[in-house]
Amino acid sequence: LSIGSGDKSMIPEVDFSDIGGQDAAKQELLEALNFVKSKQQIKDLGIRPLKGLLLSGPPGTGKTLMAKAAANYIDSVFISTSGSEFIEMYAGVGAKRVRKLFKEAREKAKKSDKNNAIIFIDEIDVLGSKRGQNSSHMEYDQTLNQLLTELDGISVDDQVNVLVIGATNRIDILDKALLRPGRFDRVVKVDLPDKEGREHILKIHTRNKPLATEVDLTQLAKETFRFSGAQLENLTNEAAIMALREEADQISSEHFREAIDKVMMGEKLNRKPKE
Ligand code: ATP
């Protein structure tokens, strides 16, 4: 599941089969991506290109994975960044970074002979929250304005199709201007996985692990209510560590039981209010 090399703009080696559950989200995303793929028809019909797509949902549910799988699906360069990288104390720096980001995306695509560039902005709420409401005033506003300008500047006639995928778990604080038609006009909800989703995710993350035959992933999925994909991945890893500790060559259901306790305990500690 890693990016091909140290270069963040490489095409990620993640595809939709690496993402468990999230059937509705995957379906919606694929539909949008097929839209990007049929550029000529879109042009002929005078439809405005899809410029921005928002993945909205709790942490660890696979939003980053989806953005990477999207890049793979449309054979696109992938530039990944986070909203917090744009926030500086000095006026104009954030806006300048946004400009640079779009320029870099186009250049990288051209250099690698791709027609598509995906810019992934994790935690987009950090730079896209309602204008005029941030304590650090103007700087945030300028950065957001620049992002809006860049989105508005994307044209169907461009040599490189730029698609911005934003991820957030705070869609409620986003500036409405971002969600206006022609900007992030598609919102894909990525929720915590249901029981079937959890089983699917457990299957994916145990693909390369030696499981004892008695291990019942359906049952484990039942016992991991409200676990996110990231927690389930962590669970499979912890279970393998338990097995290693006992010098067992297979992971047993007992190892999983202990791992569930450990992951749940870790969550509780994380949630403990700071004194
Ligand atoms: P954040 O909001 O914290 O950035 P995210 O929604 O972007 O989280 P990811 O970074 O995609 O979550 O997920 C973290 C890790 O958790 C992934 O690398 C993967 O190992 C695992 N994971 C999360 N969701 C899924 C899923 N649906 N299927 C398979 N693995 C998943």
Side-chain angles (χ1 to χ4, degrees), residues 164-175:
V164 187
I165 300 186
T168 181
N169 40 46
R170 292 299 311 274
I171 195 169
D172 55 308
I173 61 166
L174 283 189
D175 196 299

Side-chain angles (χ1 to χ4, degrees), residues 49-243:
L50 176 68
K51 303 173 178 182
L53 194 149
L54 207 59
L55 301 172
S56 161
T61 44
K63 298 184 290 299
T64 307
L65 285 182
M66 289 213 190
K68 288 180 178 173
N72 210 342
Y73 185 72
I74 61 169
D75 188 29
S76 156
V77 292
F78 183 75
I79 314 264
S80 168
T81 181
S82 162
S84 50
E85 284 179 37
F86 295 90
I87 303 309
E88 288 280 340
M89 300 293 283
Y90 304 104
V93 175
K96 215 163 146 190
R97 274 196 196 148
V98 171
R99 254 195 316 272
K100 218 175 123 201
L101 180 68
F102 279 77
K103 196 162 162 249
E104 184 193 338
R106 291 192 171 92
E107 280 169 2
K108 287 240 160 98
K110 277 184 204 153
K111 226 195 234 165
S112 53
D113 269 331
K114 306 271 179 224
N115 298 320
N116 302 313
I118 286 185
I119 297 176
F120 176 61
I121 310 178
D122 202 3
E123 300 181 285
I124 195 163
D125 45 281
V126 176
L127 79 89
S129 54
K130 295 185 183 88
R131 280 170 290 185
Q133 286 196 356
N134 266 305
S135 48
S136 106
H137 61 84
M138 295 291 293
E139 168 58 358
Y140 283 67
D141 298 359
Q142 282 184 18
T143 309
L144 175 54
N145 284 338
Q146 188 59 40
L147 177 61
L148 296 175
T149 304
E150 294 291 347
L151 280 167
D152 293 346
I154 296 173
S155 148
V156 74
D157 295 318
D158 289 347
Q159 200 186 330
V160 175
N161 308 312
V162 177
L163 174 66
V164 187
I165 300 186
T168 181
N169 40 46
R170 292 299 311 274
I171 195 169
D172 55 308
I173 61 166
L174 283 189
D175 196 299
K176 291 285 166 290
L178 268 177
L179 301 171
R180 229 167 267 151
R183 291 171 178 168
F184 286 94
D185 47 7
R186 280 242 186 181
V187 178
V188 175
K189 271 186 77 185
V190 190
D191 273 324
L192 286 175
D194 58 13
K195 188 155 54 66
E196 284 68 33
R198 293 197 295 276
E199 184 173 344
H200 189 187
I201 296 170
L202 285 168
K203 266 197 192 123
I204 289 173
H205 289 290
T206 50
R207 271 191 304 217
N208 303 318
K209 293 186 172 66
L211 299 186
T213 43
E214 35 98 23
V215 172
D216 181 353
L217 296 183
T218 313
Q219 180 57 26
L220 277 173
K222 278 188 197 152
E223 290 169 26
T224 46
F225 180 63
R226 293 201 67 78
F227 272 45
S228 68
Q231 286 170 316
L232 292 167
E233 189 276 334
N234 190 21
L235 171 66
T236 61
N237 193 54
E238 288 295 339
I241 291 173
M242 301 283 176

Side-chain angles (χ1 to χ4, degrees), residues 12-33:
E13 289 164 5
V14 174
D15 63 51
F16 284 102
S17 66
D18 293 316
I19 304 171
Q22 310 295 359
D23 293 344
K26 281 199 258 184
Q27 186 63 34
E28 262 184 77
L29 185 54
L30 278 170
E31 224 171 73
L33 295 170

